[in-house]
Amino acid sequence: MTDAVHHPIFARIFDRLSGSMEKEVGVHRDELLAGLSGRVLEVGAGNGMNFGHYPATVTEVVALEPEPYLRERADAAARHAPVPVTVRDGVAHPLPARDDEFDAAVVSLVLCSVPDPDHAVAELRRVVKPGGELRFLEHVRSSRPRKARLEEALDRSGVWPLMGGGCHCARDTIATLQRNGFAIDRVRRMDVGPSMLHTNPHVLGVAR
Ligand SMILES: C[S@@+](CC[C@H](N)C(=O)[O-])C[C@H]1O[C@@H](n2cnc3c(N)ncnc32)[C@H](O)[C@@H]1O
């Protein structure tokens, strides 16, 4: 499993920039995680930016991060988290977890980067208990046709995925969730930073 995802340059740039990016993204993390309880699986935890935002009702977070440099940073962040966080190596598909193992799962800015989003969401569905929930904060394809075509072209060109550690900007993540067994309970569409960015809009919500 080790080094299944290895983006050493992206990882270091992401880690360096994430502090300033949090001015835009961080304000949404409390909303992303509010009200969660029990055992939570976070997939693609990066350098652990969500950890400080978990509510005290969460008894354990198992945080998967496949990129070695980011996993090390996540490990360091876990030591200061307000709830117990265990950082592990692991990818989104297949998930190293048992069926129905978790009360909830969390993905933030991850389904854009996994190789097969349908497979990743089916795996999330498998490991979340019946009645459990998936919290998501993801950037998705624009609903404006011209911008969506530009985003698709960026993805196809390979340039953005190369710069963004495998990121794609034209994925329709809500449709992927619905196709793979989740019902959308709540969703809010918003921009993070300037609306013209190819990584806008974002969706923030709860699926069951
Ligand atoms: C843009 S970062 C987001 C990090 C973090 N979730 C956050 O909200 O700040 C994308 C993350 O997805 C991870 N990732 C990439 N491919 C993955 C895969 N196949 N399975 C799980 N995580 C993956 C990357 O290593 C990286 O940590």
Side-chain angles (χ1 to χ4, degrees):
M1 181 82 67
T2 303
D3 286 9
V5 174
H6 191 49
H7 296 296
I9 298 171
F10 165 78
R12 282 160 179 79
I13 294 174
F14 180 79
D15 187 49
R16 287 291 289 275
L17 295 184
S18 60
S20 49
M21 279 165 22
E22 278 307 282
K23 290 189 192 95
E24 303 283 359
V25 181
V27 294
H28 302 294
R29 295 194 193 269
D30 284 335
E31 180 180 347
L32 172 70
L33 304 175
L36 282 175
S37 59
R39 292 189 74 230
V40 176
L41 176 70
E42 180 174 339
V43 177
N47 55 356
M49 283 295 176
N50 279 328
F51 297 170
H53 298 265
Y54 279 98
T57 40
V58 168
T59 53
E60 185 190 8
V61 178
V62 174
L64 299 181
E65 175 48 53
E67 210 295 322
Y69 181 82
L70 289 174
R71 188 168 60 249
E72 220 179 279
R73 308 301 301 161
D75 239 334
R79 281 178 228 131
H80 307 286
V83 299
V85 179
T86 311
V87 177
R88 292 191 194 148
D89 188 6
V91 289
H93 53 77
L95 279 174
R98 296 186 306 277
D99 293 1
D100 304 337
E101 188 180 337
F102 291 94
D103 297 296
V106 172
V107 280
S108 62
L109 312 174
V110 167
L111 293 177
C112 53
S113 298
V114 300
D116 181 345
D118 280 282
H119 191 183
V121 172
E123 278 290 272
L124 288 164
R125 174 71 191 82
R126 178 180 69 76
V127 304
V128 172
K129 285 177 186 164
E133 55 183 304
L134 172 68
R135 299 293 181 93
F136 57 89
L137 168 60
E138 295 286 338
H139 64 84
V140 295
R141 181 164 63 217
S142 173
S143 55
R144 288 165 23 215
R146 256 181 87 180
K147 187 161 186 245
R149 280 198 298 277
L150 177 71
E151 292 170 350
E152 281 162 10
L154 271 172
D155 287 354
R156 265 198 316 273
S157 74
V159 173
W160 176 243
L162 185 70
M163 289 170 61
C167 180
H168 295 75
C169 47
R171 287 186 171 170
D172 184 354
T173 296
I174 295 296
T176 307
L177 294 175
Q178 289 171 323
R179 214 170 29 242
N180 290 283
F182 282 102
I184 306 300
D185 195 37
R186 281 201 311 266
V187 62
R188 184 159 79 79
R189 277 173 86 89
M190 80 250 177
D191 290 328
V192 174
S195 114
M196 60 180 289
L197 286 179
H198 58 285
T199 48
N200 273 322
H202 286 61
V203 288
L204 168 60
V206 183
R208 292 180 197 276

